[in-house]
Structure formats: structure tokens, C-alpha cells
Amino acid sequence: MGQTDDKPMAEVQHVDDSRPGEWSLESVLPKNGKPWYKQRHFLLLNLGMIIPYLSSTTNGYDGSMLNGLQSMSQWQNFFDNPAGTRLGSLSNGVIFGQILAFPIAPWLCDHTGRRFPIFIGSALLVIGAVLQCAAQNYAMFLVSRMIIGFGGLIAVEASPMLVSELAFPTHRSVLVGYYNNLWYLGSMLAAWVTYGTYFMGPNTSWAWRIPSLLQGAFPLLQVVFVYMLPESPRYLVQKDRHEDARKVLVKYHAGGDDESPLVDYEMKEIILQIQAAKSGSKTGYREFLSTRGNMHRLFIIIAVPCMMQLSGNGLIAYYLHLILNSIGLTSDPQQLRINGGLAVFNLGVSLALASLMEVAGRRRLFLFSTVGMLTCYVIWTILSAINQERGFHDSSLGTGVVVMIFMYQFFYNAGLNGPPWVYVTEVLPTHLRAKGTNIMQIASTCVLIFNGYANPVAMGAISWRYYIVYCCVIAVEIVLVYFWFPETKGHSLEEVALIFDGEQAFGIDSKEERSGDA
């Protein structure tokens, strides 16, 4: 994040309510010559984002933990070596819980704000983690994972919304980009925790119970601290609490300056956009089919999560042990070390790449990511095929596959880790953001169910040949991004609506205006 004065501030001008499309964020940005970390209000706000970030961290912990548990003989023996659909059900246990939460999560976000869903979802996650640790059989472990999925979805839907709607305008893309990147912090911790507890002994169930219990640590922090963050000013305006919304913006965006032109600008943008949305709003989810702009949004919020989960990353996230088995790397400690090393690599790379969203833009990163992933998957497939033909006797081929896995993750992180949540929260207007995020989660869940059941079965049946499917899928993604993903870089949340709806986004009929001007 750069300084708040990275653009020159013009003399404060009257904002013309009738032509929002001509407003300029640049003209109202404060000019004080200080970086954000030397300004108390920015420091408090940006550090506070750690609380909603932990929803992503917990999500990442789950995937890596299950990977680690599958490489543990203690866990395999306790649950009688689950495989095929039985293993798929454990992976999808979280998904089953998420499905139950779909009708509830957007309602909570729209009617109780953004903080309460994080609180209640995190509380359920803590309960699920305790039950997971105490599991005495397969059924209890599965039920605990359903509770984790139920609470996790509620928290995950609200968290990026809160970050996006609270962030200072010029900090938003980086802050929201960090949200999904913190998935890898949880992944890294789970990978190394499972590696450490593996050596507790071959006959102790605490080798897998301790990592299971620690899954509740981050949600517990959210339960304790989430109400230290302010509520979303956009939610407050949506509930006609304009004065409360203004207080949040004055305190955290203007450092207490009640006369700040930036606050006036933000309030007018938010109010006009929400009023226009309310006046033309249809009933529920049908509004996504009411205009061409909304149908374009609907396409994007379905395509993006499918790309995030259906680009072959599901194999690495939940079935890395099957990939490593397929190339002859079968040692438990060896697999756990690779899992841990990959998690550290992902965290470092994703954080380093997060700032590129404001340099390269969203669309370019999507293209860079998909083209790079396709290249890696093609090479990965070829090496795996040759390795199998040679009976896994050439260790360099196995090493080559591991290198391609790391390279694939580099390209995945560049475009499909941080940018998606930034992009989705930007293209959705405030009144559709909760419902749109829910649609995104539903699309993601459908793909995850496929991954949970199809991946272990297909890997067991056809091994490396399954990679060809993902090569084809990623090729299609490149085409979709090139033709249907507009750039949103450099716009406020309200200004992005102009890309999809034109000036009607602010309740202006451009045709009437042009005829009047004539």
C-alpha cells in the first residue's frame, strides 16, 4: 500500500450530484506527506483487517491439515485407511456443511451486518474443531467437519465483504488481495504441525487430534476480537444509518477530520449508488437476470470460483499424497516435508505478488496466471507419463514433477489466489454483494464436490492421464478471461458500476441526458 498522497490533490470542488460519472477520487484524496503506517487511523484500520483475514487462514488450515493427515499412518490406521468415495466424503464433509449454510449466510450479511456473521460462524468453527479432535469414529469425524463447513461458510462470506467495504479507497485492492493470500498461512501452519506431530509415535491418536483441535485457534481469536472493528459504512447506509456510516469514514479514512472532502465524496457515492439500486431493485436473486450488466456480473461471479477450484489446484490442495504416490514418492516424512515446503513457498509468493494488482491490473494477472498454469500442467503431464513408463526408476523425472507443482503454484497465486476476491467484490454493487458472494460460494462448492469425489477416484484409476482434463479446462479459461473479463483497476467500488451499467448505475438515463444537452 502506498501513501495517501500518491496523487496530487486539487482544490476541493462542489460535487455535482447529477453527474456522478465525472466525480474524481484523485481530487479529494488527502495530502499530508505521510505513509499509511505513520498515521494512527490507517494503522488501526489496516491491522484490524487481520481479524477477517483469519477466515481465509482457517480455510487454508483445513485443506493442508487433511493433506497431512492422509500422509499419517496414525490417522489412516484409526479410520481404517479410507479411500475412494469414503475418503471423498471426508474431504466433502466441509462442503456438506457449507450447502446447509447457503440460505442463511447472505441473509445474515444483509440483515445483521458483516461482523455478526463472522462472530457466529467462528463460534461454530470452534465447536466443530473440538468435536473433530474428540472424534471416536469415522461418522463423528465427518459430522464435525460438516459443522466446520457450516460455520466456515458464514464467516467466509462476510469477511472479504467487510475488508472491501471498510478499506481506504487506494488501499482496497491490496488489502482484499491479501485476504485469500492468508489462506496459505493456515496451510503452512497445518503442514508443519502435522509433520511435527507425526513423530509423536506410531500408536498415538494425538498425532492427528492435536492438529484437529488447533483448527479452532484462529476462529477463537475472531470471536474475541471481531467487534473491535467498525461495521461496514456501506451496510450502515443501506440500513439508512447515514450518520453512523459517516462517523466510521471520518474516524478511519479522514483521521477524525469531519470536514474532509474525501468523506463527503465517499458518502455521496455510496448513498447515490444504493438509492439507485433500491429504486430499480427487483426481487431477490432474479435481479441478476434483470439487466445486461447484471447478467455479465453473474457470469463473472460463477466463472471466477470455477477457475479458482477447477484449474487442477484441487489435486494439490487435498490429494497431494496421491500425486506423490503416482510418481514414486511414497515415504510419509517425505510427503509431509513436500507439503510443508509447498505451503511456505505459496505464502511467500502470494504475499509478494499481491501488490501487482495495482500495477498490472486484474485482467492481465488472470491471463498471465492461466497461460502459465497451462504450460506447467502440460510439462507436468508429460513428465508423469514418462516416469510411469520407466517404472519410476528415474528420480529426476519425479523431481521434475515436483518442480512443476511449485511452478504451477506460482502462476496460480499470481492470478487465482489474491485477485478473485478483489475482482468479485468490485464488480458487485453493495445491494447485490451478499447475494453475489453467496452465488460465488455455491459455484465454488459445486466444483469442490466434483473435486472431492472425482479426483481420488480418477487418480486411482487413470493416474497421470487425468491431468489432460485440466489442461483442456485451463485452455478454456484463457478464452473466457480474454473475451469477457473487463479491467476494474483504478476505480472505486461505486465507479466500477459504470463499467457494467453506464451512468444508469447512479440513476441517470444517459439517453435522456444526451437529448437534453442537444
Side-chain angles (χ1 to χ4, degrees):
M1 291 172 290
Q3 299 181 9
T4 59
D5 62 332
D6 54 349
K7 297 181 176 71
M9 185 183 97
E11 191 173 337
V12 177
Q13 299 175 352
H14 171 68
V15 178
D16 183 357
D17 291 355
S18 66
R19 295 191 60 84
E22 295 183 354
W23 299 359
S24 171
L25 176 64
E26 298 177 6
S27 66
V28 293
L29 287 173
K31 182 180 180 181
N32 51 34
K34 295 181 180 179
W36 69 269
Y37 51 84
K38 291 186 178 180
Q39 300 181 67
R40 186 174 182 273
H41 58 291
F42 285 143
L43 188 62
L44 290 175
L45 179 62
N46 293 346
L47 289 179
M49 298 300 184
I50 293 173
I51 301 304
Y53 283 168
L54 292 179
S55 296
S56 182
T57 304
T58 302
N59 204 17
Y61 186 98
D62 181 77
S64 187
M65 181 196 73
L66 194 60
N67 245 340
L69 296 187
Q70 291 176 66
S71 295
M72 280 187 177
S73 57
Q74 299 98 321
W75 184 85
Q76 293 283 0
N77 293 336
F78 191 92
F79 292 104
D80 196 24
N81 297 295
T85 56
R86 188 175 172 84
L87 176 59
S89 293
L90 286 184
S91 298
N92 281 338
V94 170
I95 308 302
F96 300 149
Q98 290 177 351
I99 291 172
L100 296 176
F102 280 143
I104 299 171
W107 186 91
L108 285 172
C109 291
D110 283 339
H111 291 83
T112 67
R114 314 312 191 207
R115 295 180 299 178
F116 179 74
I118 297 175
F119 173 84
I120 192 66
S122 299
L124 289 170
L125 273 163
V126 173
I127 294 171
V130 172
L131 292 176
Q132 186 175 241
C133 168
Q136 298 301 308
N137 50 50
Y138 177 91
M140 187 173 177
F141 195 83
L142 178 60
V143 169
S144 69
R145 291 187 59 72
M146 292 177 66
I147 296 172
I148 287 171
F150 185 87
L153 181 98
I154 294 173
V156 162
E157 284 212 5
S159 294
M161 293 169 60
L162 182 61
V163 175
S164 179
E165 295 173 358
L166 270 181
F168 189 75
T170 58
H171 299 171
R172 190 188 69 251
S173 64
V174 174
L175 286 173
V176 179
Y178 279 144
Y179 171 80
N180 215 40
N181 291 336
L182 268 291
W183 191 96
Y184 289 123
L185 175 60
S187 176
M188 179 187 69
L189 292 174
W192 289 109
V193 166
T194 52
Y195 178 74
T197 58
Y198 170 81
F199 295 101
M200 293 179 68
N203 299 315
T204 175
S205 65
W206 282 106
W208 61 266
R209 292 188 190 277
I210 289 175
S212 297
L213 180 62
L214 289 177
Q215 189 168 357
F218 294 123
L220 183 60
L221 291 176
Q222 290 179 288
V223 169
V224 174
F225 294 111
V226 68
Y227 278 97
M228 295 182 68
L229 278 173
E231 185 54 88
S232 159
R234 288 168 174 83
Y235 166 78
L236 294 172
V237 170
Q238 194 170 7
K239 295 300 179 182
D240 296 321
R241 296 168 58 186
H242 292 194
E243 189 58 35
D244 290 337
R246 183 179 179 84
K247 288 178 181 178
V248 172
L249 295 175
V250 166
K251 180 176 181 179
Y252 291 98
H253 286 193
D257 181 7
D258 195 53
E259 303 297 323
S260 169
L262 173 64
V263 173
D264 292 336
Y265 170 85
E266 290 188 284
M267 284 296 297
K268 287 177 180 177
E269 266 205 327
I270 295 169
I271 291 170
L272 280 174
Q273 198 273 331
I274 290 178
Q275 286 178 344
K278 285 182 177 179
S279 65
S281 181
K282 303 296 188 297
T283 304
Y285 288 91
R286 286 184 293 174
E287 188 167 351
F288 281 101
L289 303 175
S290 63
T291 67
R292 185 174 180 177
N294 282 348
M295 285 189 285
H296 192 177
R297 291 183 175 100
L298 180 62
F299 168 78
I300 288 174
I301 63 176
I302 292 175
V304 167
C306 289
M307 291 168 59
M308 291 173 69
Q309 305 297 344
L310 201 58
S311 297
N313 55 301
L315 281 175
I316 301 172
Y318 287 91
Y319 302 107
L320 181 61
H321 77 295
L322 295 180
I323 297 174
L324 298 178
N325 285 343
S326 74
I327 58 175
L329 301 177
T330 58
S331 164
D332 287 359
Q334 188 178 34
Q335 289 191 0
L336 288 166
R337 285 195 297 270
I338 292 174
N339 187 37
L342 189 62
V344 173
F345 174 81
N346 282 330
L347 178 62
V349 167
S350 62
L351 293 177
L353 292 172
S355 60
L356 292 180
M357 279 180 287
E358 281 305 304
V359 178
R362 290 47 153 166
R363 185 173 181 274
R364 287 180 181 175
L365 286 177
F366 280 130
L367 285 172
F368 174 75
S369 175
T370 49
V371 171
M373 287 191 300
L374 179 59
T375 303
C376 291
Y377 242 103
V378 170
I379 298 173
W380 176 355
T381 303
I382 294 171
L383 291 176
S384 296
I386 297 173
N387 198 17
Q388 182 174 316
E389 288 179 359
R390 296 182 180 178
F392 307 110
H393 296 306
D394 190 342
S395 61
S396 64
L397 291 171
T399 301
V401 170
V402 173
V403 171
M404 282 301 105
I405 292 173
F406 276 78
M407 289 301 299
Y408 166 87
Q409 287 295 143
F410 171 84
F411 287 109
Y412 179 87
N413 290 327
L416 293 184
N417 189 47
W421 277 110
V422 178
Y423 199 59
V424 168
T425 54
E426 285 177 342
V427 303
L428 291 168
T430 300
H431 72 292
L432 290 177
R433 197 163 288 133
K435 293 182 177 67
T437 303
N438 199 45
I439 292 173
M440 180 183 180
Q441 291 292 344
I442 291 172
S444 179
T445 296
C446 291
V447 179
L448 285 171
I449 291 174
F450 168 83
N451 284 342
Y453 283 113
N455 285 344
V457 174
M459 281 296 295
I462 59 176
S463 190
W464 63 267
R465 295 172 185 84
Y466 187 46
Y467 304 148
I468 298 174
V469 173
Y470 287 114
C471 291
C472 297
V473 170
I474 298 171
V476 172
E477 292 174 356
I478 295 172
V479 176
L480 296 181
V481 171
Y482 186 83
F483 287 104
W484 287 288
F485 279 41
E487 183 57 73
T488 57
K489 170 189 171 185
H491 299 283
S492 70
L493 287 177
E494 284 66 40
E495 288 172 339
V496 171
L498 296 170
I499 298 174
F500 292 87
D501 305 315
E503 292 192 336
Q504 291 182 359
F506 291 94
I508 295 175
D509 189 328
S510 57
K511 291 183 178 179
E512 291 181 4
E513 188 174 274
R514 284 197 299 271
S515 63
D517 291 342

